[in-house]
Amino acid sequence: MTPALSPAEVTINVVGALFAIPIVFGIFIKAPKLVVFGFIGILFCFSDSTWGQLETDANIYSRGVGMFYFSLLNLILMVAGVAALLKRLANPQGPQLAPPMAKYLAAFVFLLLGHVVVGLMQGIELDVILGYSGIFNVLNMMVFMYLVIMAFESEKDTQRLLLMIIALATLRAIFGAVRFFLFDGDTANPYRNFEGLDIKIFYFDINDNFVASLGAFCAAWLLTTPGVKLGWFKRGLLIAFLVLEVAAVALSFRRTSLIGLGLMFLFLFLRLPGTRKFMFSIVAAGLLAAVASVFYEHRLQFASEDDMLSSLIYDIAPSRGIKDGRFYELYAAAQSMDGNWLFGRGTWGTFSGDRERLSYHGDDFSFVHSGFGHVLLKTGIVGLLLFCGLLAAYVGFYMRHRNSLAGYARLLGDAGFAGFLFWVPTLLVGTPIIEFRTMMMLGLVLAMPFIAVGIRNYQVRAYQYDPRYAVA
């Protein structure tokens, strides 16, 4: 819970917001990259998760909550989104931005407005209807996706974005390594603080694991993709960077992160030509085996006395049944739908069940541990079909264009789709929809293939205009 602010702090925050909002509006109109780079810097460098901490403090993502319906960072996102809309309306002849996704953005806005109307008619407070426990972060995700697409328009922009991702992933990993090896690791450590396990962790926030995994993928892509020429010094730095990022995931002991990283490496394996698959499979198998070994030794062996696979799925194994283990939460949520399957229980809706089995929820039953299940609970089959349609449109777009990309555009597109694969396990069994930082990260990876295709189209136009000035 966010601690109460003193009157002086409230005044400072309000004044700061009044000054920041018009500044952000003007900056995005003139230099959208600065705003987007600012968001990416914050998202990559500041943790949001407080679960597992013995004492929780307000962080940058919660500043402003209590004074406004949304955090100050979310208000800045909205202002930038309005600025982007006005800029787009002022230049309607410009290139289309992610056309497969536009109808889903409109549909989610309409769906959210519908819930606002129904909720107000039922006497629900507006801040509850638009709260983060609903689906508002889906809208945040799509707004950020469009902001990122608008901000990067050239090959040089793509290089800067990739360089920023790698640089921030490096800094974040070094920070985590110093804290892990020289101090006591992440203070958000539910395994030690709540479960009594004598282990320290690199990062608990799933987004920090994503940053490390995305950095590892970019390094592995550069090291293995034909046509990328690297000197021995750069190659050595990339190998060291790859090992550090993989270690960050391994020592964080998050199962969804381990599976997500495995999906990213499997995807890269499938993208490589046959001659490089064998060597990559040996190196990747060695790295993942080392990660799995560390994972099992320090965490999973306490979960099950059987083999490693049984330990990995100890709470979702089919033998436990749907009314036991982790799936009981989804079963209880389904039982609570009670005739609301089409449009859900509302963005303010909750579910009920056996409080003893759901003790890890505390007293908050406004979400479930499944992104898809959460959307279904809140908005029913209609909202779930829209959300799945959005993701399917993204996958279809990447699949249609992936083989036409080259150079930095190919790296950006592949990294974006690999990042999406990382989030699949979390969408299945995690809580991404209620997390601002997670949905913003998902918006980033959704944007990356669209930027890559835009860069390819820019290269084609440049070549048609004058082959001497085409980007290689």
Side-chain angles (χ1 to χ4, degrees):
M1 180 174 294
T2 305
L5 300 177
S6 67
E9 291 175 318
V10 171
T11 302
I12 291 173
N13 284 336
V14 170
V15 172
L18 291 176
F19 276 101
I21 288 174
I23 292 174
V24 170
F25 189 95
I27 292 176
F28 189 86
I29 293 294
K30 290 293 185 181
K33 283 188 286 292
L34 293 181
V35 175
V36 172
F37 275 140
F39 269 110
I40 293 175
I42 291 173
L43 293 171
F44 274 52
C45 295
F46 293 93
S47 178
D48 186 23
S49 177
T50 57
W51 172 252
Q53 290 183 336
L54 296 176
E55 296 181 3
T56 59
D57 299 316
N59 58 42
I60 192 170
Y61 301 101
S62 62
R63 293 292 180 186
V65 175
M67 291 182 300
F68 310 107
Y69 285 165
F70 311 104
S71 68
L72 291 176
L73 200 60
N74 205 156
L75 288 174
I76 292 174
L77 175 68
M78 294 178 190
V79 170
V82 172
L85 177 61
L86 294 178
K87 186 175 182 179
R88 181 66 184 169
L89 291 175
N91 184 27
Q93 303 303 321
Q96 288 187 311
L97 303 175
M101 314 292 272
K103 56 180 177 290
Y104 294 102
L105 174 60
F108 267 103
V109 170
F110 181 78
L111 181 65
L112 192 58
L113 289 176
H115 279 258
V116 169
V117 172
V118 174
L120 291 176
M121 291 175 62
Q122 294 183 14
I124 309 296
E125 297 292 334
L126 184 61
D127 61 330
V128 177
I129 300 172
L130 297 178
Y132 293 123
S133 61
I135 62 164
F136 193 80
N137 278 326
V138 176
L139 184 60
N140 284 333
M141 174 195 76
M142 298 198 72
V143 170
F144 188 60
M145 179 194 74
Y146 276 101
L147 294 183
V148 175
I149 294 172
M150 286 188 67
F152 302 104
E153 301 174 337
S154 68
E155 179 81 3
K156 184 174 293 186
D157 290 340
T158 304
Q159 295 178 30
R160 289 171 179 168
L161 176 59
L162 289 169
L163 181 61
M164 184 177 190
I165 289 173
I166 293 174
L168 291 178
T170 303
L171 292 176
R172 191 65 177 158
I174 292 173
F175 168 77
V178 170
R179 188 173 60 172
F180 181 86
F181 291 108
L182 300 184
F183 299 99
D184 211 24
D186 196 343
T187 57
N189 187 348
Y191 313 124
R192 180 177 58 197
N193 296 337
F194 298 160
E195 300 177 19
L197 301 179
D198 186 22
I199 59 175
K200 58 182 179 178
I201 60 176
F202 213 97
Y203 288 120
F204 182 73
D205 192 326
I206 189 70
N207 292 282
D208 291 314
N209 286 260
F210 165 71
V211 170
S213 298
L214 186 62
F217 178 87
C218 290
W221 192 97
L222 290 169
L223 287 167
T224 58
T225 299
V228 178
K229 297 180 181 180
L230 299 170
W232 286 107
F233 180 72
K234 289 183 178 179
R235 188 171 293 274
L237 286 179
L238 281 175
I239 292 173
F241 172 71
L242 174 62
V243 171
L244 176 61
E245 299 294 7
V246 171
V249 176
L251 297 173
S252 294
F253 306 113
R254 298 293 303 268
R255 287 178 294 170
T256 48
S257 299
L258 178 63
I259 296 171
L261 180 64
L263 290 175
M264 296 175 82
F265 273 41
L266 176 61
F267 167 69
L268 180 57
F269 170 79
L270 295 175
R271 288 290 278 158
L272 292 175
T275 55
R276 300 213 172 195
K277 276 186 168 67
F278 178 72
M279 184 60 66
F280 176 81
S281 62
I282 294 176
V283 176
L287 277 175
L288 291 178
V291 169
S293 177
V294 171
F295 215 93
Y296 179 77
E297 179 182 354
H298 289 276
R299 183 193 171 196
L300 293 182
Q301 64 169 322
F302 302 108
S304 173
E305 296 180 357
D306 298 324
D307 55 33
M308 185 180 298
L309 179 60
S310 299
S311 300
L312 189 66
I313 60 172
Y314 70 93
D315 56 350
I316 59 173
S319 59
R320 303 197 63 168
I322 196 170
K323 295 184 181 181
D324 195 12
R326 189 151 186 167
F327 286 129
Y328 171 72
E329 179 185 14
L330 298 179
Y331 173 78
Q335 292 295 105
S336 299
M337 292 299 287
D338 190 26
N340 295 296
W341 285 98
L342 188 58
F343 294 106
R345 295 183 59 84
T347 58
W348 59 91
T350 60
F351 74 100
S352 60
D354 188 324
R355 286 184 171 270
E356 184 176 349
R357 295 184 187 181
L358 299 170
S359 58
Y360 55 90
H361 260 269
D363 293 322
D364 186 1
F365 294 95
S366 62
F367 67 96
V368 295
H369 284 79
S370 169
F372 297 111
H374 181 86
V375 173
L376 179 62
L377 173 68
K378 300 292 183 172
T379 60
I381 295 174
V382 172
L384 181 60
L385 288 177
L386 286 176
F387 188 68
C388 292
L390 183 156
L391 299 181
Y394 166 80
V395 173
F397 180 86
Y398 171 77
M399 291 298 179
R400 286 195 303 273
H401 295 281
R402 59 177 182 165
N403 292 327
S404 64
L405 301 175
Y408 289 110
R410 182 184 175 107
L411 172 55
L412 190 69
D414 287 354
F417 189 75
F420 167 73
L421 292 178
F422 175 91
W423 287 117
V424 168
T426 301
L427 285 167
L428 291 172
V429 299
T431 58
I433 308 297
I434 64 172
E435 299 167 3
F436 178 82
R437 188 188 184 199
T438 299
M439 295 303 284
M440 294 283 278
M441 290 291 199
L442 187 54
L444 174 64
V445 300
L446 292 182
M448 290 165 70
F450 289 100
I451 299 173
V453 172
I455 298 304
R456 182 206 63 187
N457 294 340
Y458 170 83
Q459 294 171 349
V460 171
R461 289 193 303 270
Y463 182 83
Q464 292 174 344
Y465 177 74
D466 191 336
R468 295 176 300 170
Y469 299 110
V471 180

PDB file of all heavy atoms in Angstrom, residues 439-467:
ATOM      1  N   MET A 439       3.381  -4.247 -18.528  1.00  0.00           N
ATOM      2  CA  MET A 439       2.622  -3.970 -19.742  1.00  0.00           C
ATOM      3  C   MET A 439       3.325  -2.958 -20.634  1.00  0.00           C
ATOM      4  O   MET A 439       3.209  -3.005 -21.867  1.00  0.00           O
ATOM      5  CB  MET A 439       1.219  -3.495 -19.379  1.00  0.00           C
ATOM      6  CG  MET A 439       0.383  -4.551 -18.669  1.00  0.00           C
ATOM      7  SD  MET A 439       0.212  -6.086 -19.612  1.00  0.00           S
ATOM      8  CE  MET A 439      -0.988  -5.577 -20.852  1.00  0.00           C
ATOM      9  N   MET A 440       4.077  -2.051 -20.035  1.00  0.00           N
ATOM     10  CA  MET A 440       4.872  -1.120 -20.847  1.00  0.00           C
ATOM     11  C   MET A 440       5.991  -1.874 -21.577  1.00  0.00           C
ATOM     12  O   MET A 440       6.284  -1.605 -22.750  1.00  0.00           O
ATOM     13  CB  MET A 440       5.448  -0.028 -19.956  1.00  0.00           C
ATOM     14  CG  MET A 440       4.411   0.908 -19.344  1.00  0.00           C
ATOM     15  SD  MET A 440       3.776   2.117 -20.507  1.00  0.00           S
ATOM     16  CE  MET A 440       5.097   3.340 -20.400  1.00  0.00           C
ATOM     17  N   MET A 441       6.619  -2.828 -20.895  1.00  0.00           N
ATOM     18  CA  MET A 441       7.634  -3.649 -21.547  1.00  0.00           C
ATOM     19  C   MET A 441       7.025  -4.458 -22.684  1.00  0.00           C
ATOM     20  O   MET A 441       7.628  -4.604 -23.755  1.00  0.00           O
ATOM     21  CB  MET A 441       8.273  -4.590 -20.522  1.00  0.00           C
ATOM     22  CG  MET A 441       9.150  -3.905 -19.493  1.00  0.00           C
ATOM     23  SD  MET A 441      10.669  -3.226 -20.199  1.00  0.00           S
ATOM     24  CE  MET A 441      11.651  -3.054 -18.705  1.00  0.00           C
ATOM     25  N   LEU A 442       5.831  -4.981 -22.458  1.00  0.00           N
ATOM     26  CA  LEU A 442       5.157  -5.724 -23.514  1.00  0.00           C
ATOM     27  C   LEU A 442       4.827  -4.800 -24.683  1.00  0.00           C
ATOM     28  O   LEU A 442       4.952  -5.191 -25.854  1.00  0.00           O
ATOM     29  CB  LEU A 442       3.883  -6.366 -22.962  1.00  0.00           C
ATOM     30  CG  LEU A 442       3.126  -7.334 -23.878  1.00  0.00           C
ATOM     31  CD1 LEU A 442       4.049  -8.436 -24.396  1.00  0.00           C
ATOM     32  CD2 LEU A 442       1.943  -7.939 -23.142  1.00  0.00           C
ATOM     33  N   GLY A 443       4.441  -3.553 -24.390  1.00  0.00           N
ATOM     34  CA  GLY A 443       4.207  -2.585 -25.454  1.00  0.00           C
ATOM     35  C   GLY A 443       5.463  -2.313 -26.263  1.00  0.00           C
ATOM     36  O   GLY A 443       5.402  -2.144 -27.493  1.00  0.00           O
ATOM     37  N   LEU A 444       6.626  -2.294 -25.598  1.00  0.00           N
ATOM     38  CA  LEU A 444       7.899  -2.084 -26.294  1.00  0.00           C
ATOM     39  C   LEU A 444       8.169  -3.209 -27.279  1.00  0.00           C
ATOM     40  O   LEU A 444       8.516  -2.954 -28.443  1.00  0.00           O
ATOM     41  CB  LEU A 444       9.035  -1.976 -25.273  1.00  0.00           C
ATOM     42  CG  LEU A 444      10.456  -1.897 -25.851  1.00  0.00           C
ATOM     43  CD1 LEU A 444      10.643  -0.629 -26.681  1.00  0.00           C
ATOM     44  CD2 LEU A 444      11.498  -1.971 -24.727  1.00  0.00           C
ATOM     45  N   VAL A 445       8.015  -4.468 -26.843  1.00  0.00           N
ATOM     46  CA  VAL A 445       8.324  -5.581 -27.748  1.00  0.00           C
ATOM     47  C   VAL A 445       7.291  -5.684 -28.868  1.00  0.00           C
ATOM     48  O   VAL A 445       7.627  -6.136 -29.977  1.00  0.00           O
ATOM     49  CB  VAL A 445       8.433  -6.921 -26.977  1.00  0.00           C
ATOM     50  CG1 VAL A 445       9.529  -6.845 -25.936  1.00  0.00           C
ATOM     51  CG2 VAL A 445       7.123  -7.328 -26.337  1.00  0.00           C
ATOM     52  N   LEU A 446       6.053  -5.257 -28.609  1.00  0.00           N
ATOM     53  CA  LEU A 446       5.063  -5.245 -29.689  1.00  0.00           C
ATOM     54  C   LEU A 446       5.426  -4.212 -30.747  1.00  0.00           C
ATOM     55  O   LEU A 446       5.147  -4.393 -31.939  1.00  0.00           O
ATOM     56  CB  LEU A 446       3.672  -4.941 -29.127  1.00  0.00           C
ATOM     57  CG  LEU A 446       3.018  -5.993 -28.226  1.00  0.00           C
ATOM     58  CD1 LEU A 446       1.624  -5.537 -27.812  1.00  0.00           C
ATOM     59  CD2 LEU A 446       2.953  -7.349 -28.905  1.00  0.00           C
ATOM     60  N   ALA A 447       6.064  -3.124 -30.323  1.00  0.00           N
ATOM     61  CA  ALA A 447       6.415  -2.054 -31.258  1.00  0.00           C
ATOM     62  C   ALA A 447       7.606  -2.405 -32.139  1.00  0.00           C
ATOM     63  O   ALA A 447       7.691  -1.952 -33.292  1.00  0.00           O
ATOM     64  CB  ALA A 447       6.716  -0.767 -30.484  1.00  0.00           C
ATOM     65  N   MET A 448       8.526  -3.209 -31.639  1.00  0.00           N
ATOM     66  CA  MET A 448       9.814  -3.395 -32.312  1.00  0.00           C
ATOM     67  C   MET A 448       9.711  -3.968 -33.731  1.00  0.00           C
ATOM     68  O   MET A 448      10.358  -3.464 -34.652  1.00  0.00           O
ATOM     69  CB  MET A 448      10.740  -4.225 -31.416  1.00  0.00           C
ATOM     70  CG  MET A 448      11.202  -3.437 -30.183  1.00  0.00           C
ATOM     71  SD  MET A 448      11.939  -4.432 -28.875  1.00  0.00           S
ATOM     72  CE  MET A 448      13.488  -4.928 -29.627  1.00  0.00           C
ATOM     73  N   PRO A 449       8.907  -5.003 -33.994  1.00  0.00           N
ATOM     74  CA  PRO A 449       8.797  -5.458 -35.394  1.00  0.00           C
ATOM     75  C   PRO A 449       8.179  -4.420 -36.319  1.00  0.00           C
ATOM     76  O   PRO A 449       8.549  -4.350 -37.503  1.00  0.00           O
ATOM     77  CB  PRO A 449       7.902  -6.705 -35.284  1.00  0.00           C
ATOM     78  CG  PRO A 449       8.089  -7.184 -33.887  1.00  0.00           C
ATOM     79  CD  PRO A 449       8.246  -5.941 -33.069  1.00  0.00           C
ATOM     80  N   PHE A 450       7.255  -3.619 -35.825  1.00  0.00           N
ATOM     81  CA  PHE A 450       6.657  -2.572 -36.663  1.00  0.00           C
ATOM     82  C   PHE A 450       7.699  -1.505 -37.014  1.00  0.00           C
ATOM     83  O   PHE A 450       7.713  -0.992 -38.134  1.00  0.00           O
ATOM     84  CB  PHE A 450       5.460  -1.954 -35.948  1.00  0.00           C
ATOM     85  CG  PHE A 450       4.274  -2.862 -35.852  1.00  0.00           C
ATOM     86  CD1 PHE A 450       4.006  -3.557 -34.693  1.00  0.00           C
ATOM     87  CD2 PHE A 450       3.438  -3.041 -36.943  1.00  0.00           C
ATOM     88  CE1 PHE A 450       2.914  -4.416 -34.599  1.00  0.00           C
ATOM     89  CE2 PHE A 450       2.340  -3.896 -36.869  1.00  0.00           C
ATOM     90  CZ  PHE A 450       2.086  -4.591 -35.692  1.00  0.00           C
ATOM     91  N   ILE A 451       8.564  -1.171 -36.053  1.00  0.00           N
ATOM     92  CA  ILE A 451       9.659  -0.236 -36.348  1.00  0.00           C
ATOM     93  C   ILE A 451      10.577  -0.851 -37.404  1.00  0.00           C
ATOM     94  O   ILE A 451      11.002  -0.173 -38.348  1.00  0.00           O
ATOM     95  CB  ILE A 451      10.465   0.081 -35.075  1.00  0.00           C
ATOM     96  CG1 ILE A 451       9.579   0.731 -34.021  1.00  0.00           C
ATOM     97  CG2 ILE A 451      11.638   1.013 -35.399  1.00  0.00           C
ATOM     98  CD1 ILE A 451      10.267   0.912 -32.681  1.00  0.00           C
ATOM     99  N   ALA A 452      10.887  -2.136 -37.235  1.00  0.00           N
ATOM    100  CA  ALA A 452      11.798  -2.801 -38.170  1.00  0.00           C
ATOM    101  C   ALA A 452      11.249  -2.777 -39.591  1.00  0.00           C
ATOM    102  O   ALA A 452      11.981  -2.489 -40.548  1.00  0.00           O
ATOM    103  CB  ALA A 452      12.027  -4.245 -37.711  1.00  0.00           C
ATOM    104  N   VAL A 453       9.966  -3.055 -39.750  1.00  0.00           N
ATOM    105  CA  VAL A 453       9.360  -3.029 -41.085  1.00  0.00           C
ATOM    106  C   VAL A 453       9.334  -1.604 -41.624  1.00  0.00           C
ATOM    107  O   VAL A 453       9.557  -1.372 -42.819  1.00  0.00           O
ATOM    108  CB  VAL A 453       7.939  -3.623 -41.037  1.00  0.00           C
ATOM    109  CG1 VAL A 453       7.227  -3.428 -42.376  1.00  0.00           C
ATOM    110  CG2 VAL A 453       8.005  -5.106 -40.697  1.00  0.00           C
ATOM    111  N   GLY A 454       9.090  -0.627 -40.758  1.00  0.00           N
ATOM    112  CA  GLY A 454       9.131   0.769 -41.185  1.00  0.00           C
ATOM    113  C   GLY A 454      10.509   1.164 -41.678  1.00  0.00           C
ATOM    114  O   GLY A 454      10.642   1.891 -42.672  1.00  0.00           O
ATOM    115  N   ILE A 455      11.554   0.673 -40.993  1.00  0.00           N
ATOM    116  CA  ILE A 455      12.929   0.946 -41.425  1.00  0.00           C
ATOM    117  C   ILE A 455      13.202   0.285 -42.778  1.00  0.00           C
ATOM    118  O   ILE A 455      13.829   0.876 -43.655  1.00  0.00           O
ATOM    119  CB  ILE A 455      13.935   0.446 -40.366  1.00  0.00           C
ATOM    120  CG1 ILE A 455      13.729   1.179 -39.039  1.00  0.00           C
ATOM    121  CG2 ILE A 455      15.369   0.632 -40.851  1.00  0.00           C
ATOM    122  CD1 ILE A 455      13.821   2.673 -39.134  1.00  0.00           C
ATOM    123  N   ARG A 456      12.709  -0.945 -42.949  1.00  0.00           N
ATOM    124  CA  ARG A 456      12.878  -1.620 -44.246  1.00  0.00           C
ATOM    125  C   ARG A 456      12.215  -0.820 -45.359  1.00  0.00           C
ATOM    126  O   ARG A 456      12.787  -0.630 -46.442  1.00  0.00           O
ATOM    127  CB  ARG A 456      12.280  -3.013 -44.175  1.00  0.00           C
ATOM    128  CG  ARG A 456      12.439  -3.822 -45.468  1.00  0.00           C
ATOM    129  CD  ARG A 456      11.357  -4.863 -45.600  1.00  0.00           C
ATOM    130  NE  ARG A 456      10.034  -4.242 -45.684  1.00  0.00           N
ATOM    131  CZ  ARG A 456       8.896  -4.931 -45.676  1.00  0.00           C
ATOM    132  NH1 ARG A 456       8.914  -6.243 -45.548  1.00  0.00           N
ATOM    133  NH2 ARG A 456       7.736  -4.298 -45.773  1.00  0.00           N
ATOM    134  N   ASN A 457      11.016  -0.333 -45.114  1.00  0.00           N
ATOM    135  CA  ASN A 457      10.317   0.464 -46.123  1.00  0.00           C
ATOM    136  C   ASN A 457      11.071   1.761 -46.415  1.00  0.00           C
ATOM    137  O   ASN A 457      11.129   2.219 -47.557  1.00  0.00           O
ATOM    138  CB  ASN A 457       8.895   0.775 -45.652  1.00  0.00           C
ATOM    139  CG  ASN A 457       8.040  -0.471 -45.555  1.00  0.00           C
ATOM    140  OD1 ASN A 457       8.354  -1.486 -46.168  1.00  0.00           O
ATOM    141  ND2 ASN A 457       6.982  -0.403 -44.772  1.00  0.00           N
ATOM    142  N   TYR A 458      11.667   2.340 -45.383  1.00  0.00           N
ATOM    143  CA  TYR A 458      12.474   3.549 -45.556  1.00  0.00           C
ATOM    144  C   TYR A 458      13.685   3.254 -46.449  1.00  0.00           C
ATOM    145  O   TYR A 458      14.035   4.036 -47.339  1.00  0.00           O
ATOM    146  CB  TYR A 458      12.926   4.063 -44.191  1.00  0.00           C
ATOM    147  CG  TYR A 458      13.953   5.174 -44.257  1.00  0.00           C
ATOM    148  CD1 TYR A 458      13.570   6.504 -44.456  1.00  0.00           C
ATOM    149  CD2 TYR A 458      15.312   4.902 -44.105  1.00  0.00           C
ATOM    150  CE1 TYR A 458      14.509   7.515 -44.512  1.00  0.00           C
ATOM    151  CE2 TYR A 458      16.262   5.909 -44.161  1.00  0.00           C
ATOM    152  CZ  TYR A 458      15.858   7.215 -44.357  1.00  0.00           C
ATOM    153  OH  TYR A 458      16.792   8.209 -44.416  1.00  0.00           O
ATOM    154  N   GLN A 459      14.315   2.086 -46.224  1.00  0.00           N
ATOM    155  CA  GLN A 459      15.468   1.702 -47.031  1.00  0.00           C
ATOM    156  C   GLN A 459      15.069   1.507 -48.499  1.00  0.00           C
ATOM    157  O   GLN A 459      15.790   1.912 -49.408  1.00  0.00           O
ATOM    158  CB  GLN A 459      16.080   0.411 -46.470  1.00  0.00           C
ATOM    159  CG  GLN A 459      16.693   0.571 -45.087  1.00  0.00           C
ATOM    160  CD  GLN A 459      17.101  -0.759 -44.480  1.00  0.00           C
ATOM    161  OE1 GLN A 459      16.758  -1.818 -44.988  1.00  0.00           O
ATOM    162  NE2 GLN A 459      17.833  -0.701 -43.388  1.00  0.00           N
ATOM    163  N   VAL A 460      13.902   0.874 -48.708  1.00  0.00           N
ATOM    164  CA  VAL A 460      13.435   0.651 -50.082  1.00  0.00           C
ATOM    165  C   VAL A 460      13.169   1.980 -50.782  1.00  0.00           C
ATOM    166  O   VAL A 460      13.572   2.179 -51.939  1.00  0.00           O
ATOM    167  CB  VAL A 460      12.164  -0.218 -50.071  1.00  0.00           C
ATOM    168  CG1 VAL A 460      11.544  -0.273 -51.464  1.00  0.00           C
ATOM    169  CG2 VAL A 460      12.500  -1.621 -49.578  1.00  0.00           C
ATOM    170  N   ARG A 461      12.527   2.917 -50.087  1.00  0.00           N
ATOM    171  CA  ARG A 461      12.248   4.226 -50.689  1.00  0.00           C
ATOM    172  C   ARG A 461      13.544   4.970 -50.997  1.00  0.00           C
ATOM    173  O   ARG A 461      13.681   5.617 -52.043  1.00  0.00           O
ATOM    174  CB  ARG A 461      11.366   5.064 -49.750  1.00  0.00           C
ATOM    175  CG  ARG A 461       9.938   4.561 -49.636  1.00  0.00           C
ATOM    176  CD  ARG A 461       9.051   5.607 -48.968  1.00  0.00           C
ATOM    177  NE  ARG A 461       9.531   5.982 -47.660  1.00  0.00           N
ATOM    178  CZ  ARG A 461       9.177   5.370 -46.529  1.00  0.00           C
ATOM    179  NH1 ARG A 461       8.334   4.332 -46.582  1.00  0.00           N
ATOM    180  NH2 ARG A 461       9.637   5.770 -45.366  1.00  0.00           N
ATOM    181  N   ALA A 462      14.520   4.863 -50.075  1.00  0.00           N
ATOM    182  CA  ALA A 462      15.800   5.542 -50.290  1.00  0.00           C
ATOM    183  C   ALA A 462      16.513   4.976 -51.515  1.00  0.00           C
ATOM    184  O   ALA A 462      17.089   5.712 -52.312  1.00  0.00           O
ATOM    185  CB  ALA A 462      16.688   5.396 -49.043  1.00  0.00           C
ATOM    186  N   TYR A 463      16.453   3.640 -51.676  1.00  0.00           N
ATOM    187  CA  TYR A 463      17.109   3.021 -52.826  1.00  0.00           C
ATOM    188  C   TYR A 463      16.422   3.418 -54.130  1.00  0.00           C
ATOM    189  O   TYR A 463      17.081   3.685 -55.143  1.00  0.00           O
ATOM    190  CB  TYR A 463      17.104   1.497 -52.663  1.00  0.00           C
ATOM    191  CG  TYR A 463      17.820   0.779 -53.794  1.00  0.00           C
ATOM    192  CD1 TYR A 463      19.203   0.633 -53.766  1.00  0.00           C
ATOM    193  CD2 TYR A 463      17.119   0.270 -54.880  1.00  0.00           C
ATOM    194  CE1 TYR A 463      19.868  -0.003 -54.798  1.00  0.00           C
ATOM    195  CE2 TYR A 463      17.771  -0.374 -55.912  1.00  0.00           C
ATOM    196  CZ  TYR A 463      19.152  -0.511 -55.869  1.00  0.00           C
ATOM    197  OH  TYR A 463      19.817  -1.139 -56.889  1.00  0.00           O
ATOM    198  N   GLN A 464      15.108   3.452 -54.116  1.00  0.00           N
ATOM    199  CA  GLN A 464      14.369   3.840 -55.320  1.00  0.00           C
ATOM    200  C   GLN A 464      14.649   5.277 -55.703  1.00  0.00           C
ATOM    201  O   GLN A 464      14.706   5.626 -56.902  1.00  0.00           O
ATOM    202  CB  GLN A 464      12.872   3.625 -55.100  1.00  0.00           C
ATOM    203  CG  GLN A 464      12.474   2.173 -54.995  1.00  0.00           C
ATOM    204  CD  GLN A 464      11.009   1.985 -54.631  1.00  0.00           C
ATOM    205  OE1 GLN A 464      10.360   2.928 -54.175  1.00  0.00           O
ATOM    206  NE2 GLN A 464      10.480   0.790 -54.848  1.00  0.00           N
ATOM    207  N   TYR A 465      14.870   6.116 -54.692  1.00  0.00           N
ATOM    208  CA  TYR A 465      15.131   7.527 -54.980  1.00  0.00           C
ATOM    209  C   TYR A 465      16.542   7.703 -55.530  1.00  0.00           C
ATOM    210  O   TYR A 465      16.763   8.384 -56.521  1.00  0.00           O
ATOM    211  CB  TYR A 465      14.969   8.350 -53.700  1.00  0.00           C
ATOM    212  CG  TYR A 465      15.272   9.808 -53.866  1.00  0.00           C
ATOM    213  CD1 TYR A 465      14.376  10.652 -54.539  1.00  0.00           C
ATOM    214  CD2 TYR A 465      16.444  10.354 -53.364  1.00  0.00           C
ATOM    215  CE1 TYR A 465      14.660  11.993 -54.697  1.00  0.00           C
ATOM    216  CE2 TYR A 465      16.739  11.701 -53.514  1.00  0.00           C
ATOM    217  CZ  TYR A 465      15.841  12.518 -54.182  1.00  0.00           C
ATOM    218  OH  TYR A 465      16.129  13.852 -54.338  1.00  0.00           O
ATOM    219  N   ASP A 466      17.515   7.068 -54.883  1.00  0.00           N
ATOM    220  CA  ASP A 466      18.896   7.159 -55.343  1.00  0.00           C
ATOM    221  C   ASP A 466      19.683   6.033 -54.698  1.00  0.00           C
ATOM    222  O   ASP A 466      19.941   6.037 -53.498  1.00  0.00           O
ATOM    223  CB  ASP A 466      19.527   8.498 -54.962  1.00  0.00           C
ATOM    224  CG  ASP A 466      20.868   8.710 -55.651  1.00  0.00           C
ATOM    225  OD1 ASP A 466      21.507   7.707 -56.038  1.00  0.00           O
ATOM    226  OD2 ASP A 466      21.260   9.877 -55.819  1.00  0.00           O
ATOM    227  N   PRO A 467      20.068   5.003 -55.463  1.00  0.00           N
ATOM    228  CA  PRO A 467      20.770   3.852 -54.898  1.00  0.00           C
ATOM    229  C   PRO A 467      22.046   4.218 -54.145  1.00  0.00           C
ATOM    230  O   PRO A 467      22.463   3.493 -53.259  1.00  0.00           O
ATOM    231  CB  PRO A 467      21.104   2.988 -56.135  1.00  0.00           C
ATOM    232  CG  PRO A 467      20.086   3.412 -57.149  1.00  0.00           C
ATOM    233  CD  PRO A 467      19.828   4.860 -56.905  1.00  0.00           C
TER     234      PRO A 467
END
